[in-house]
Amino acid sequence: MNAESDERQEVAAAAAGAATGDGATGEPALGSRAPQFIKRHRSLHVSWQVGVFIVGLAVVIVGIIMLPLPGPGWVVIFGGMAIWATEFVWAQLVLRWTKRKVTEAAQRALDPRVRKRNIILTTIALVICAAAMAVYVVKFGLVMPWKIEE
């Protein structure tokens, strides 16, 4: 082989490493994180993956149930995704995308112009709510809704 084809192979290997997380990006490699003795046996590994999927699914379902109810629904859903990410590449990619988007949103929220706009909008919303409450008190008095006599 010549030097040009060796160089191409090195570039391809570096690109493959970056795609799986082995490169200089600092992200862990994609794929199963099952113990080595489980990975060695196909049936044991499939059983492990089924177990991980069922546990992750149960956690995600509990999170979905918690969305309309009191509780940290989204945190639990992402916890289930993290369980899935220990075994499945698609879940690892979803979590990486989510982390990237959350980091971008946090950076945008810390931008001084955005913070100033958010403070102004919050102040306007509070003034509107206070005005609506004042109109209600003037019109109906300060009677609690459960003590209204018919």
Side-chain angles (χ1 to χ4, degrees):
M1 293 197 136
N2 59 23
E4 186 177 315
S5 64
D6 288 342
E7 185 178 316
R8 273 188 259 154
Q9 286 177 348
E10 289 173 7
V11 169
T20 60
D22 294 336
T25 60
E27 294 179 344
L30 297 174
S32 176
R33 294 190 182 101
Q36 207 55 32
F37 71 93
I38 291 177
K39 288 183 187 178
R40 269 183 260 158
H41 304 287
R42 177 82 176 135
S43 60
L44 191 57
H45 192 230
V46 169
S47 301
W48 176 271
Q49 286 181 326
V50 168
V52 167
F53 182 79
I54 290 171
V55 170
L57 183 65
V59 172
V60 167
I61 288 172
V62 168
I64 290 171
I65 291 170
M66 292 172 88
L67 285 176
L69 300 175
W74 285 110
V75 173
V76 175
I77 289 172
F78 288 122
M81 289 294 296
I83 291 171
W84 280 337
T86 63
E87 209 49 43
F88 303 107
V89 173
W90 62 267
Q92 293 169 2
L93 294 173
V94 168
L95 280 180
R96 284 184 184 178
W97 179 83
T98 304
K99 287 178 186 177
R100 192 170 50 250
K101 292 299 178 183
V102 167
T103 302
E104 290 171 7
Q107 289 173 348
R108 279 194 312 266
L110 294 176
D111 181 22
R113 291 177 300 193
V114 174
R115 287 189 69 205
K116 184 177 179 180
R117 183 199 64 203
N118 290 345
I119 290 171
I120 291 170
L121 290 174
T122 302
T123 305
I124 291 170
L126 288 174
V127 168
I128 291 172
C129 288
M133 288 176 59
V135 168
Y136 177 84
V137 169
V138 167
K139 187 170 184 175
F140 298 107
L142 195 57
V143 178
M144 296 297 150
W146 53 86
K147 293 187 179 182
I148 295 177
E149 297 174 11
E150 295 182 25

